[in-house]
């Protein structure tokens, strides 16, 4: 049985354990009494806070139960926020504003500014902004614009097509794609320009890079760029995330450049390095987002993301990296659309991950956490009457925060057309601020919307469906075998086809498209961010200069890299050397000579 | 009845958004269109070369990653430069292509751009109306590849029956190798890996590939082999994808004549790949159709008894057990080896893992089929014929 089969068993065993404990709480008087005592204790310790209107509210909402069996079902089956199995949240408190104390409202209910400044530790600001356009200096400028009012600088970077496919800006036929949809990065010099002016070693800075196929090379460039600016001592201080999710590329997004096995080997080489040398770095973001965007059902998205995660865990453990070292450095990324499953998709995922990591991989508490970044669904946004996309995104944001996501990105309404423009990016960010800061839905009480009968019904149905998917993958021989067999890929394509068919047939209502259509087919005026030809030309010239300057050195570095790859040892140190003098495309090309190219699955 | 419309579809370089095109492809083939699907992340050069070799009526490009104005324009320009301006270009990109972009693209020679919200029906109707009329008389071909492509179309559309005129016999330098076997055994991947070795062996030789995919009953066909062939997109490779158009047995009614033409066209190697075949199939039985036959098997063929029923095990010169990294492969090798011993002729059995880069089994197979040793070849053919008369 593969680890995934064991995960299924562990979840079933755990569910049975919860049922047994519920029974025991009802039959074993002492056990029941203890539970009730603990429950009352928990309730007594919950602070009271106040809405701006003066309404008193508990800081943590709990189900109204006082019977030991139900208490056991809640505490063990769901867990308090921040407690195993983490159904209600990875942390005790999230999104909450500082407690407003009772005294603040004493005189005629008028708010006095005081006493509320006691900082409640919050994980971090949950808002993320995604950007990447044209050349490195243009994206850099955008980064500075976006972060000018923020205390912490969390930069999420999108790369252009050539970079995502590991080829250079001077490659045949890519002119026109340079700097489109993301930033063009060919060399370590571009990487230096990209984050210029930001303090990469600061605790208030983190970089997130959305790239998978050539991730180890880009990671090496980032490290090299940081060293150029701050010296070698900056390396252990670097914070951030690189996507590096090969499985989802093969299953959904099609940005794979090496065959699966060497891709996974390069990834593991990188993870081994970062786990040891960069303890604050997240070397992989296990992503369901692109699976969802490619058209999967929500259950498929959650199931493939989790099973991919367990497969990575198995792989890293096999390399000899301790689970309590790599486990806390894994993070997840989910799509949040409008289907009903999204009411509880991430909640259920968090619970399955915790149980599997603890009971199958022997992970400690920090390695059990399913740390989640959510993005609202780009696929749900459409071009027709595109301003409706604001409403779609708003509804998705509520769903995402109901699932206690650790961070969230809200899409811009103009996303169906182009890389979002400044106006719509600002509105998207404000959407989150309105929800979290202006509205009272999430800022006063933890668990405000958790645990409704409907949510529980969705949880049960979604968990059962995810486990069934796991069983199917297990029958196919585990995740890698199923991937090579195109199982997930064909399931996703099938779901996507059905979705389009439903829209076409009108059984899936899309407002403004197949229902309440305006009649006019006019495309709204959207200011497009296109990379001018002159800039593209500049990138090509810079690259030529870099290649010329390093012509001799690059050949030696590539030979050394190729030899390291052939030898089978961890080749990340050689990659770190190579990026100093070689371009992305030079490195990719040489590696492909050694390990081959990815053969597309259709 | 008019011949089906052939079009080529692809997603541009640095773009992996294949969800829309997959859906559109299926809709096209359900409505009688033959679609040569080139896959995603494809360069202008690859697209134009394939369109010329396949002699399609039009190219449909699905672009979601930007740069579409340049990309579409480059495709049109390269078609013109190569003398293939009769191949038209259309496409779409959801909301990423604006009306202004589309106007500019039309000015640069693109026939039509579909916007977000266009129904599948509209696209099918467009292809039928725009590309369904018989071709006008064609101008003299500007290159030998275009001339060859045009002739293959004439044969396939039965404008010229060449069956009686030409025997298949090729010039002595051309070597014709037939690949057959059940669907999913990995024939296409294996051929593509062999092509890589052909291309690396010397710097001049040219390879032709005649690949087959089944037609949907009474409808179109998805000719998708090119999408997974990463090494065969090369100027030294001429590839043609054919739909079976109602014929059973793994080949098309026009295969024999098309192959005869390819065999006389100066290639060093001509590879023919059948559709996935059943146990009773013997696709290369027409006299002299190939020099050498390769049966590609999957280790999962079922019980040992099944092997007795596979006719090609008697006829193939080389039997390949692909996917030999699967658990079942060792058993398969032993059972097939015993099965071949009954035939008492010099058949070769090779294990390969075609998906693996630089696989030693594929190297061995390449050594066997690329040999220029004529005496050996003659002997092989002789034993082949003996086997046939023996039946």
């Amino acid at each position: 049985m593969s680890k995934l089969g064991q995960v299924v068993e562990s979840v079933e065993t755990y569910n049975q354990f919860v049922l047994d404990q519920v029974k025991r709480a009802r039959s074993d008087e002492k056990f029941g009494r203890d539970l009730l005592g603990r429950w009352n204790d928990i309730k007594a310790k919950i602070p009271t806070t106040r809405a701006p209107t003066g309404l008193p509210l508990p800081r943590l909402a709990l189900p109204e139960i006082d019977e030991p069996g139900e208490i056991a079902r809640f505490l063990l089956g769901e867990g308090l926020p921040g407690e195993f199995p983490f159904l209600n949240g990875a942390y005790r408190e999230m999104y909450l504003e500082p407690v407003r104390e009772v005294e603040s409202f004493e005189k005629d209910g008028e708010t006095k500014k005081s006493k509320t400044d006691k900082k409640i530790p919050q994980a971090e600001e949950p808002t993320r902004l995604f950007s990447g356009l044209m050349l490195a200096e243009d994206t850099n400028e955008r980064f500075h614009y976006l972060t000018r009012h923020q205390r912490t600088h969390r930069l999420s970077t999108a790369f252009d097509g050539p970079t995502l496919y590991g080829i250079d800006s001077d490659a045949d036929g890519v002119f026109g794609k340079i700097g489109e949809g993301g930033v063009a990065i060919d060399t370590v010099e571009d990487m230096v320009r990209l984050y210029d002016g930001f303090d990469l070693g600061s605790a208030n800075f983190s970089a997130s890079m959305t790239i998978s196929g050539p991730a180890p090379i880009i990671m090496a460039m980032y490290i090299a760029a940081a060293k150029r600016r701050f010296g070698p001592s900056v390396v252990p201080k670097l914070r951030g995330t690189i996507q590096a999710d090969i499985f989802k590329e093969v299953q959904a997004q099609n940005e794979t450049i090496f065959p699966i096995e060497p891709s996974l080997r390069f990834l593991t080489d990188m993870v081994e390095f970062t786990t040891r040398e960069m303890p604050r770095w997240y070397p992989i973001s296990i992503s369901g987002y692109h699976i969802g965007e490619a058209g999967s059902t929500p259950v498929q998205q959650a199931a493939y993301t989790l099973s991919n995660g367990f497969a990575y865990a198995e792989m890293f453990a096999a390399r000899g990296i301790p689970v309590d070292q790599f486990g806390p450095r894994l993070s997840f990324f989910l799509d949040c659309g409008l289907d009903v499953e999204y009411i509880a998709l991430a909640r259920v995922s968090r619970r399955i991950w915790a149980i599997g990591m603890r009971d199958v991989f022997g992970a400690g508490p920090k390695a059990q956490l399913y740390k989640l970044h959510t993005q609202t669904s780009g696929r749900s946004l459409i071009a027709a009457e595109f301003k409706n996309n604001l409403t779609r995104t708003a509804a998705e944001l509520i769903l995402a925060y109901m699932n206690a996501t650790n961070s969230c990105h809200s899409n811009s309404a103009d996303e169906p057309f182009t890389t979002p423009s400044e106006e719509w990016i600002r509105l998207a960010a404000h959407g989150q601020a309105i929800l979290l800061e202006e509205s009272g839905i999430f800022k006063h009480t933890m668990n405000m919307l958790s645990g409704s009968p409907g949510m529980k019904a969705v949880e049960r149905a979604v968990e059962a469906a995810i486990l069934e998917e796991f069983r199917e993958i297990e029958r196919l021989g585990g995740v890698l075998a199923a991937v090579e067999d195109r199982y997930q890929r064909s399931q996703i394509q099938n779901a996507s086809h059905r979705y389009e068919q439903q829209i076409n047939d009108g059984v899936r209502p899309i407002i403004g498209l197949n229902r309440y259509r305006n009649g006019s087919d006019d495309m709204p005026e959207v200011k497009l961010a296109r990379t001018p030809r002159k800039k593209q030309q500049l990138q090509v010239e810079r690259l030529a200069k870099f290649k010329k300057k390093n012509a001799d050195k690059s050949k030696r570095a590539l030979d050394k890299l190729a030899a390291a790859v052939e030898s089978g040892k961890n080749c990340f140190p050689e990659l770190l050397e190579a990026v100093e003098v070689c371009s992305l495309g030079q490195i990719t090309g040489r590696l492909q000579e050694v390990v081959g190219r990815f053969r597309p699955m259709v | 009845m008019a011949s089906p419309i052939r079009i080529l579809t692809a997603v541009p370089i640095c773009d992996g958004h294949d969800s829309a095109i997959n859906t559109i492809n299926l809709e096209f083939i359900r409505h009688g269109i033959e679609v040569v699907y080139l896959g995603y992340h494809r360069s202008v050069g690859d697209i134009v070369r394939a369109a010329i070799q396949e002699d399609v009526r039009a190219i449909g490009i699905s672009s979601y990653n930007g740069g579409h104005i340049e990309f579409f324009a480059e495709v049109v320009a390269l078609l013109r430069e190569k003398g293939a301006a009769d191949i038209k270009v259309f496409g779409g990109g959801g909301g990423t292509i604006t009306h202004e972009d589309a106007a500019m693209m039309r000015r640069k020679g693109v026939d039509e751009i579909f916007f977000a919200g266009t129904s599948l029906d509209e696209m099918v109707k467009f292809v039928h109306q725009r590309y369904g009329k018989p071709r006008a008389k064609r101008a003299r071909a500007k290159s030998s590849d275009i001339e060859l492509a045009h002739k293959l179309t004439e044969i396939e559309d039965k404008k010229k029956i060449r069956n009686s005129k030409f025997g298949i016999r090729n010039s002595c330098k051309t070597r014709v190798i037939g690949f057959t076997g059940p669907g999913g055994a990995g024939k296409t991947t294996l051929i593509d890996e062999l092509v890589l070795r052909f291309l690396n062996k010397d710097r001049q030789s040219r390879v032709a590939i005649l690949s087959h995919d089944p037609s949907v009953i009474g409808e179109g066909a998805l000719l998708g082999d090119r999408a997974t062939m990463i090494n065969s997109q090369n100027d030294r490779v001429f590839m043609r994808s054919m739909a079976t158009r109602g014929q059973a047995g793994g080949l098309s009614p026009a295969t024999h004549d098309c192959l005869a033409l390819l065999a006389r066209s100066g290639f060093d190697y001509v590879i023919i790949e059948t559709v996935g075949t059943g146990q009773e199939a013997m696709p290369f039985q027409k006299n002299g159709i190939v020099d050498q036959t390769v049966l590609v098997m999957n280790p999962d063929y079922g019980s040992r008894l099944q092997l007795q029923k596979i006719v090609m095990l008697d006829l193939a010169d080389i039997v390949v057990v692909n996917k030999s990294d699967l658990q079942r492969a060792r058993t398969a090798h032993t059972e097939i080896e015993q099965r071949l011993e009954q035939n008492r002729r010099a058949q070769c059995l090779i294990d390969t893992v075609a998906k693996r880069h630089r696989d030693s089994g594929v190297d061995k197979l390449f050594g066997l089929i690329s040999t220029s040793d004529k005496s050996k070849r003659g002997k092989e053919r002789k034993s082949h014929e003996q086997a046939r008369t023996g039946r």
Side-chain angles (χ1 to χ4, degrees):
Chain A
M1 189 190 291
S2 82
K3 293 278 183 193
L4 194 61
Q6 295 175 33
V7 169
V8 174
E9 280 191 351
S10 73
V11 175
E12 285 168 343
T13 306
Y14 190 79
N15 289 346
Q16 189 54 50
F17 163 78
V18 173
L19 291 180
D20 292 345
Q21 296 300 300
V22 171
K23 262 191 226 153
R24 190 179 150 210
R26 286 170 181 161
S27 57
D28 178 338
E29 207 175 309
K30 181 175 180 307
F31 184 59
R33 221 174 26 245
D34 288 353
L35 270 170
L36 202 57
R38 190 182 156 211
W39 185 244
N40 288 331
D41 223 34
I42 293 166
K43 286 203 290 190
K45 282 186 187 146
I46 298 172
T48 300
T49 187
R50 299 244 168 191
T53 53
L55 186 76
L57 286 167
R59 188 111 168 123
L60 169 66
L62 292 176
E64 290 189 7
I65 47 177
D66 54 8
E67 185 271 315
E70 289 311 309
I71 293 169
R73 195 192 306 278
F74 177 78
L75 287 178
L76 298 170
E78 300 190 17
L80 293 166
E83 284 185 18
F84 190 86
F86 305 104
L87 184 78
N88 287 304
Y91 298 105
R92 192 168 62 86
E93 295 196 340
M94 300 166 77
Y95 326 136
L96 299 181
E97 64 172 18
V99 171
R100 283 172 203 264
E101 288 179 14
V102 181
E103 303 89 79
S104 312
F105 293 90
E106 266 171 357
K107 286 178 184 151
D108 308 322
E110 208 168 283
T111 315
K112 270 194 289 182
K113 190 160 171 62
S114 72
K115 292 184 183 172
T116 60
D117 288 342
K118 253 192 307 176
K119 258 284 192 222
I120 301 292
Q122 213 172 313
E124 54 184 33
E125 291 170 293
T127 302
R128 289 284 186 283
L129 297 164
F130 190 43
S131 181
L133 76 168
M134 302 196 225
L135 307 192
E137 60 268 32
D138 303 300
T139 302
N140 180 268
E141 196 181 305
R142 174 68 71 89
F143 281 151
H144 283 287
Y145 168 83
L146 290 172
T147 53
R148 70 203 185 287
H149 299 309
Q150 293 192 330
R151 280 174 289 123
T152 55
H153 295 163
R154 311 253 175 252
L155 306 182
S156 188
T157 316
F159 296 92
D160 71 355
T163 309
L164 292 171
Y165 280 95
I167 56 183
D168 281 342
S169 296
D170 62 359
D172 177 34
V174 306
F175 201 84
K177 302 251 173 203
I178 302 168
E180 280 286 313
V183 61
I185 299 292
D186 292 311
T187 69
V188 62
E189 292 173 3
D190 296 327
M191 198 61 99
V192 168
R193 274 189 284 273
L194 180 61
Y195 299 108
D196 187 41
F198 290 102
D199 183 0
L200 303 189
S202 153
N204 287 328
F205 179 88
S206 78
S208 160
M209 292 180 274
T210 305
I211 191 160
S212 288
I217 310 171
I218 294 293
M219 184 75 250
M221 278 189 189
Y222 183 80
I223 297 169
K227 283 202 284 197
R228 281 190 182 192
R229 288 181 54 210
F230 302 99
S233 65
V234 77
V235 176
K237 294 189 223 152
L238 296 176
R239 288 167 189 266
T241 308
I242 191 156
Q243 192 168 69
D245 184 355
I246 294 300
F247 282 135
K248 70 97 173 140
E249 290 296 343
V250 180
Q251 290 160 0
Q253 209 183 1
N254 298 334
E255 286 160 7
T256 320
I257 55 184
F258 308 113
I260 300 174
E261 280 178 32
S263 292
L264 293 173
R265 177 253 173 119
F266 295 148
L267 165 69
T268 311
D269 285 355
M270 176 182 80
V271 171
E272 199 178 11
F273 179 89
T274 61
T275 312
R276 197 177 57 230
E277 310 285 338
M278 297 158 64
R280 295 186 174 90
W281 193 267
Y282 290 97
I284 183 166
S285 165
I286 303 157
S287 304
Y289 189 79
H290 318 84
I291 294 172
E293 290 292 292
S296 79
T297 66
V299 163
Q300 286 168 348
Q301 187 201 161
Y304 301 158
T305 308
L306 280 165
S307 54
N308 291 348
F310 286 123
Y312 289 126
E314 192 174 353
M315 221 165 65
F316 301 152
R319 179 66 75 93
I321 316 172
V323 65
D324 284 328
Q325 266 178 42
F326 73 75
R329 307 323 296 168
L330 303 179
S331 66
F332 292 85
F333 176 24
L334 287 185
D335 199 353
C336 186
L338 292 168
D339 279 313
V340 67
E341 290 92 326
Y342 288 110
I343 286 174
L345 202 70
R347 292 166 59 80
V348 174
S349 297
R350 200 158 43 227
R351 185 176 185 272
I352 293 175
W353 181 253
I355 297 170
M357 286 301 277
R358 190 189 75 170
D359 296 347
V360 177
F361 290 88
K366 282 187 174 166
Q368 295 164 10
L369 295 186
Y370 184 92
K371 293 182 196 166
L372 175 66
H373 175 67
T374 304
Q375 183 169 337
T376 58
S377 165
R379 183 167 200 259
S380 70
L381 307 185
I382 59 165
E385 297 197 59
F386 80 107
K387 286 177 188 169
N388 280 333
N389 293 338
L390 287 171
T391 312
R392 293 189 176 98
T393 300
E396 289 161 357
L397 278 177
I398 295 175
L399 290 172
Y401 284 109
M402 276 169 71
N403 280 274
T405 186
N406 300 95
S407 62
C408 192
H409 171 92
S410 42
N411 285 329
S412 305
D414 60 348
E415 176 136 328
F417 307 100
T418 173
T419 298
S421 55
E422 268 167 31
E423 181 193 0
W424 296 102
I425 288 179
R426 206 179 68 246
L427 292 181
H430 284 181
Q432 299 209 48
I434 290 167
L435 184 64
L436 295 181
E437 297 170 36
E438 212 172 299
S439 97
I441 304 178
F442 294 106
K443 67 179 173 180
H444 306 307
T445 299
M446 193 65 194
N447 258 1
M448 184 61 105
L449 299 174
S450 301
S452 72
M455 180 183 278
K456 283 177 185 301
V458 173
E459 281 166 10
R460 275 192 296 275
V462 164
E463 184 186 278
I466 290 174
L467 293 184
E468 191 46 45
E469 273 293 343
F470 283 5
R471 285 187 203 100
E472 185 58 39
I473 293 169
E474 169 70 13
R475 276 193 284 274
L476 294 169
V479 171
L480 183 58
V483 168
E484 292 192 330
D485 226 22
R486 296 186 309 278
Y487 169 70
Q488 294 94 335
R489 205 178 154 77
S490 57
Q491 293 299 309
I492 294 165
Q493 286 179 354
N494 196 23
S496 167
H497 192 62
R498 199 164 55 234
Y499 180 94
E500 296 301 330
Q501 207 63 53
Q502 286 171 343
I503 291 176
N504 215 33
D505 299 345
V507 288
R508 184 180 270 275
I510 306 288
I511 305 308
L513 185 72
N514 64 8
R515 196 172 284 196
Y516 318 133
R517 192 166 179 156
N518 200 355
S520 81
D521 261 349
D522 281 353
M523 204 174 288
E525 252 187 61
V526 178
K527 213 177 131 209
L528 294 183
R530 293 260 166 81
T531 313
R533 291 185 72 85
K534 245 179 26 206
K535 277 190 188 285
Q536 301 197 36
Q537 198 55 51
L538 175 63
Q539 183 66 15
V540 174
E541 283 161 16
R542 277 179 182 162
L543 176 62
K545 221 181 273 173
F546 178 91
K547 283 184 179 170
K548 196 172 162 206
K549 182 173 72 185
N550 296 299
D552 297 338
K553 288 185 196 149
S554 68
K555 196 186 166 305
R556 277 197 301 277
L558 290 174
D559 287 345
K560 197 172 165 196
L561 175 63
V565 174
E566 295 272 14
S567 78
K569 74 180 195 72
N570 187 324
C571 65
F572 198 76
E574 282 74 15
L575 205 50
L576 271 175
E577 289 176 33
V579 296
E580 293 285 352
V581 290
C582 305
S583 69
L584 174 60
Q586 287 175 322
I587 294 173
T588 306
R590 186 56 178 269
L591 289 176
Q592 283 179 332
E593 280 175 26
V594 183
V595 302
R597 290 158 64 194
F598 179 71
R599 187 180 298 282
M601 295 176 170
V602 292
Chain B
M1 208 184 97
S3 301
I5 302 168
R6 279 168 65 91
I7 63 168
L8 180 134
T9 60
V11 177
I13 195 161
C14 303
D15 194 341
H17 294 87
D18 64 347
S19 166
I21 197 66
N22 280 324
T23 300
I24 294 167
N25 282 343
L26 294 182
E27 198 65 14
F28 281 162
I29 68 169
R30 283 202 322 119
H31 289 86
I33 299 164
E34 289 181 359
V35 179
V36 180
Y37 178 49
L38 193 57
Y40 57 83
H41 186 36
R42 290 302 192 192
S43 71
V44 170
D46 284 355
I47 291 173
V48 169
R49 184 191 311 109
I52 287 174
Q53 294 178 354
E54 301 287 357
D55 195 26
V56 293
R57 297 299 294 265
I59 301 170
I61 300 172
S62 178
S63 163
Y64 281 83
N65 252 11
H68 40 262
I69 298 177
E70 289 86 354
F71 194 85
F72 279 69
E74 279 179 39
V75 171
V76 172
L78 190 58
L79 283 168
R80 286 176 183 164
E81 186 192 316
K82 299 269 180 192
D86 59 335
I87 299 175
K88 302 300 179 190
V89 178
F90 69 100
T96 65
I97 304 181
T98 67
H99 283 278
E100 277 172 26
D101 293 348
M104 192 183 293
M105 289 156 83
R106 282 198 201 94
R107 277 199 299 279
K108 295 191 175 193
V110 175
D111 269 7
E112 185 64 283
I113 292 296
F114 294 114
F115 296 105
T118 310
S119 72
L120 294 169
D121 293 343
E122 284 172 68
M123 292 182 213
V124 170
K125 212 170 132 195
F126 168 82
V127 170
H128 275 294
Q129 287 180 350
R130 195 63 163 264
Y131 309 121
K133 296 179 200 84
R135 283 183 210 266
K137 188 164 162 32
R138 311 186 77 169
R140 230 186 109 219
K142 199 172 159 181
S143 71
S144 58
D145 275 8
I146 294 181
E147 191 183 347
L148 180 58
H150 287 186
K151 282 185 185 161
L152 289 170
T153 304
E154 286 170 13
I155 296 172
E156 198 180 16
D157 291 351
K158 296 194 178 104
K159 291 227 175 80
K160 290 188 183 164
I161 306 291
R162 292 175 183 256
N163 206 353
S164 51
K165 273 196 222 162
F166 297 101
I168 199 119
R169 202 51 260 152
N170 31 317
S171 70
C172 58
K173 92 166 192 174
T174 304
R175 192 154 171 68
V176 183
I177 307 146
F179 282 78
T180 188
K187 296 185 290 295
T188 308
T189 305
L190 194 60
I191 290 170
D192 193 49
E193 283 297 310
L194 291 169
V195 166
L196 179 66
R197 288 160 176 81
F198 282 128
L199 295 176
N200 288 341
K201 192 181 163 203
D202 63 65
R203 293 287 154 201
Q204 283 90 40
S205 64
R206 289 201 79 202
V207 183
I209 302 170
L210 193 59
S211 144
H212 292 79
D213 275 310
S215 298
V216 186
I217 301 292
E219 300 180 44
L222 185 59
L223 308 170
D225 286 345
R226 279 180 179 269
T228 61
M229 300 182 84
I230 47 182
N231 303 311
S232 303
Q233 315 298 325
N234 188 299
D235 285 335
R236 287 163 56 204
V237 180
F238 183 99
M239 175 161 171
R240 183 71 170 223
S241 312
M242 297 180 80
T244 52
R245 295 192 179 173
Q247 174 166 300
L251 299 172
S252 139
T255 300
H256 187 269
D257 292 344
C258 288
L259 190 62
L261 177 61
L262 287 173
R264 289 184 295 109
S265 299
F267 293 99
D268 298 82
Y269 302 95
V270 176
I271 293 173
I272 169 168
E273 178 189 0
T274 69
V275 303
T277 52
Q279 293 171 336
E280 80 292 3
M282 28 184 193
F284 305 123
Q285 287 312 291
K286 278 198 181 174
N287 192 25
I289 193 167
V290 296
D291 293 314
Q292 209 169 18
T293 52
V294 182
L295 171 65
V296 186
M297 304 257 312
N298 193 319
D300 275 326
Y301 45 75
S303 80
R304 188 185 183 122
L305 194 62
Q306 299 299 326
L307 290 178
Q308 294 303 326
K309 311 178 194 171
I310 299 173
V311 178
M312 274 307 295
L313 279 172
D314 298 320
L315 304 176
D317 299 307
I318 301 169
V319 177
V320 172
V321 180
N322 191 30
K323 307 189 184 180
S324 65
D325 56 333
L326 295 183
Q327 283 180 348
R328 179 113 215 311
R330 285 193 65 171
T331 313
H333 182 98
T334 310
E335 290 181 355
I336 293 171
E337 196 169 40
Q338 287 174 358
R339 168 72 173 78
L340 294 180
E341 274 169 18
Q342 300 167 8
N343 296 340
R344 293 168 190 281
R345 42 184 287 251
Q347 290 170 296
C348 297
L349 177 61
I350 297 176
D351 297 327
T352 60
V353 186
K355 67 168 185 185
R356 193 187 284 155
H357 187 57
R358 302 192 297 204
D359 179 63
S360 59
V362 179
D363 288 342
K364 206 170 144 200
L365 175 63
F366 177 69
L368 278 177
I369 63 177
S370 65
T371 176
S372 53
D373 182 348
K374 274 188 198 135
S375 61
K376 196 175 164 217
R377 248 202 272 162
K379 219 164 75 193
E380 271 166 19
R381 182 124 32 91
K382 210 171 140 202
S383 63
H384 192 155
E385 274 152 16
Q386 278 168 355
R388 208 180 295 137
T389 38
R391 276 183 64 82

